[in-house]
Amino acid sequence: MNIAGRVPALLRQGPSRRYWVGQSISLVGDQISLLALPLAAVIILHADAAEMGWLATAQLLPALLFSLAAGSWVDRRASRRRIMIVSDLARAGLIASLPVAYAFDLLSLTQLYLTAFAVGSLTVLFDVCNATLFVALVPGTRYVEANSLINGSRSLAYVAGPSAGGFLVQLLAAPLALVADAFTYLLSARCLTRIDPVEPPPSAPAKGHFTAGLRWIMRSPVMRATFAASSTIQFFNFMFHTLFVLYVTSELGLGAGLLGIVLAVGAAGGLVGAATAGRVTRRLGIGRAAVLGYTLFSAPLLLVPLAGGPTPVVLGLLFLAELGSCVGVMIADVSVSSLQAALIPDALRARVTGAYRTLTHGVRPLGALTAGALGTAIGLRPTLWIGTAGALLCLLWVLPSPVPHIRELPTPEAEVVAGSATTAEARGEHGLGTDSEAESRTGEGLGTEAGPGREATPETKAGPGNGTGAEAEVEPGVTTEAMAPPEREGLPRQKGRPEARPGAR
């Protein structure tokens, strides 16, 4: 087979390819900032544990303050893509202000705090819009494939970003390394200007518009469980990450270059996770893959506070921790993101995303503040033990829920009127395909592999709550993919162009 034939089908489509390229470039820049920003605080401005906690909080607090309002506002806008472009350009300018201030010897912790808060606010707006743009570009039958591609890029960013960031910090000093991140925002904006998908129409103002997304989450047992699990992981994981750089550089004695190598080598597990996520979801079912991802994401990080002794031993433990955790986070991200993309109705998508970010990302600053307070009071290593062990509590939410029993992605069929879902799916009764006793033993019903990251299309039997609210059955041999609404069947549409069929070359 020629090289072109090996390229995933989504990347053979211009709009999807440009979107993926823009996201991939931006992810590399984010990883450079993830290392350079805290190193600027530690090395240049001599920040202590409490000040590191405030820096992380400044970047994360906007998710708690603005996500709900951003989702409500975005759902009423006709072009989310334009909002994303403006957000990219504004973030580029803000990040670029830091190396400029450093060059004139004006950089301060106050500027770091303000910049982190402003960039975090624009990121909230970008991500809320991105949820709607994603489903406008990707057909419902390829959510797992698309999420695998995006998370594969994230894995590559985990490899390239920290090593590039460590090298740039060594070569130029931490603030100057942020120039690379500013440039990636400009490239991301450029890629977004070159796509023009048909976006879902804006929702009409109605009573309860602001809280409709939050109510939908609370009524859905699957969304409630994944929200609670994600919130638990986010709180404890950000306790961990707030102090990780300080712990590794001060107590374990690793320099910026070695730290970048640790993160890059460990993140190779992310490549494995992204590459195998599609096969894992087909083998285990989308729900069990999510549970596996949550477990692998959290458990290996216990090796970090365990690290000690000679430098080779420390490096080995840190490599294993990063390797295993990155495998888990990719499997969790691909499975949970695909499940949520399939479940959320288009007319509520930005509001549900905003509400979800409020509930999950909103605990991040609380975790960062807790880390700063505990790190000062009891020390870095004990705080890291709490952060790593506490993340495993996420399993208490998903194991008793319907999530482990979901075999395949549901078909989104909810009609949403005046900002409120009117079908059983929107009420949380999604009619999900679940394990039967025979499927649990034999693995039958998983479908066949149609390409990297492609989700299975098993035979299902729809129960009450499917379709338009009436009871319905799917005859044997009829897949949920065949029942997908017309707008979910084709490849990305450009305005004024006919929609291509899946698999078109």
Side-chain angles (χ1 to χ4, degrees):
M1 183 183 293
N2 58 31
I3 295 176
R6 294 179 181 273
V7 175
L10 286 174
L11 298 187
R12 294 197 294 270
Q13 305 298 314
S16 297
R17 182 176 61 254
R18 296 181 193 112
Y19 170 80
W20 173 77
V21 168
Q23 292 291 296
S24 301
I25 292 170
S26 184
L27 286 167
V28 173
D30 289 344
Q31 289 301 308
I32 293 174
S33 279
L34 188 65
L35 188 63
L37 197 62
L39 282 175
V42 171
I43 297 173
I44 306 299
L45 301 173
H46 309 293
D48 58 22
E51 288 167 334
M52 292 295 287
W54 283 112
L55 178 61
T57 300
Q59 190 171 7
L60 302 172
L61 190 59
L64 178 61
L65 298 180
F66 305 135
S67 291
L68 200 62
S72 178
W73 183 75
V74 165
D75 259 342
R76 298 184 185 183
R77 308 277 78 80
S79 178
R80 291 79 165 183
R81 180 183 63 91
R82 290 175 185 163
I83 298 172
M84 294 168 69
I85 293 171
V86 172
S87 298
D88 267 341
L89 296 176
R91 287 187 291 181
L94 287 165
I95 291 294
S97 73
L98 297 176
V100 171
Y102 173 74
F104 288 95
D105 199 25
L106 297 174
L107 186 64
S108 66
L109 278 172
T110 299
Q111 184 181 1
L112 285 184
Y113 295 155
L114 292 175
T115 301
F117 184 84
V119 170
S121 301
L122 291 165
T123 299
V124 168
L125 193 59
F126 184 95
D127 289 346
V128 168
C129 294
N130 194 31
T132 301
L133 190 68
F134 176 85
V135 298
L137 284 166
V138 179
T141 55
R142 292 186 175 175
Y143 286 158
V144 170
E145 179 185 359
N147 276 307
S148 295
L149 288 170
I150 293 295
N151 282 282
S153 296
R154 182 174 287 113
S155 301
L156 288 172
Y158 287 161
V159 173
S163 55
F167 173 76
L168 290 172
V169 168
Q170 292 277 82
L171 183 66
L172 302 173
L176 296 180
L178 292 168
V179 173
D181 190 25
F183 185 62
T184 62
Y185 283 127
L186 295 178
L187 292 177
S188 173
R190 171 60 178 162
C191 289
L192 287 171
T193 62
R194 299 185 64 203
I195 62 175
D196 194 16
V198 179
E199 300 183 34
S203 60
K207 184 178 180 180
H209 178 93
F210 186 81
T211 59
L214 182 60
R215 294 198 309 272
W216 191 87
I217 291 174
M218 292 297 101
R219 292 170 182 168
S220 164
V222 172
M223 291 294 289
R224 279 201 313 271
T226 55
F227 139 67
S230 296
S231 297
T232 301
I233 285 183
Q234 297 284 4
F235 176 82
F236 287 104
N237 198 249
F238 269 80
M239 283 184 61
F240 170 83
H241 279 291
T242 297
L243 300 180
F244 177 72
V245 171
L246 183 60
Y247 169 74
V248 169
T249 55
S250 63
E251 294 204 5
L252 298 183
L254 300 186
L258 273 180
L259 175 58
I261 293 172
V262 165
L263 296 177
V265 172
L271 296 174
V272 176
T276 60
R279 288 190 289 274
V280 170
T281 57
R282 285 189 295 275
R283 176 73 63 179
L284 301 180
I286 194 82
R288 289 178 182 171
V291 174
L292 176 64
Y294 282 137
T295 304
L296 289 178
F297 182 18
S298 305
L301 294 180
L302 291 167
L303 296 174
V304 174
L306 186 65
T311 299
V313 174
V314 169
L315 289 175
L317 290 174
L318 295 182
F319 288 162
L320 289 174
E322 289 293 322
L323 186 70
S325 183
C326 286
V327 170
V329 72
M330 290 301 132
I331 294 174
D333 277 355
V334 169
S335 55
V336 175
S337 297
S338 300
L339 181 59
Q340 291 175 356
L343 287 176
I344 302 171
D346 279 343
L348 285 173
R349 195 168 299 277
R351 278 170 288 172
V352 171
T353 302
Y356 198 87
R357 285 180 58 90
T358 299
L359 298 170
T360 57
H361 290 46
V363 302
R364 290 178 171 185
L366 301 180
L369 284 174
T370 302
L374 287 179
T376 302
I378 65 176
L380 300 181
R381 192 185 297 266
T383 303
L384 289 178
W385 276 116
I386 295 172
T388 52
L392 286 169
L393 296 175
C394 69
L395 298 176
L396 298 180
W397 298 106
V398 292
L399 290 177
S401 76
V403 172
H405 307 291
I406 303 173
R407 297 291 293 179
E408 73 281 348
L409 290 178
T411 301
E413 297 176 353
E415 298 290 339
V416 181
V417 179
S420 299
T422 60
T423 68
E425 180 188 339
R427 293 194 301 269
E429 303 164 9
H430 305 295
L432 300 175
T434 59
D435 291 324
S436 67
E437 185 179 356
E439 286 176 338
S440 299
R441 289 196 304 266
T442 66
E444 293 175 356
L446 293 178
T448 58
E449 180 172 346
R454 212 70 61 83
E455 74 269 16
T457 56
E459 297 174 7
T460 60
K461 186 173 182 179
N466 281 330
T468 58
E471 294 187 7
E473 281 194 348
V474 181
E475 294 297 326
V478 179
T479 66
T480 54
E481 180 176 327
M483 298 175 62
E487 67 271 19
R488 286 286 178 265
E489 292 178 354
L491 286 165
R493 292 179 292 170
Q494 291 285 93
K495 289 181 179 178
R497 299 182 186 179
E499 187 173 7
R501 303 300 303 168
R505 295 177 183 266

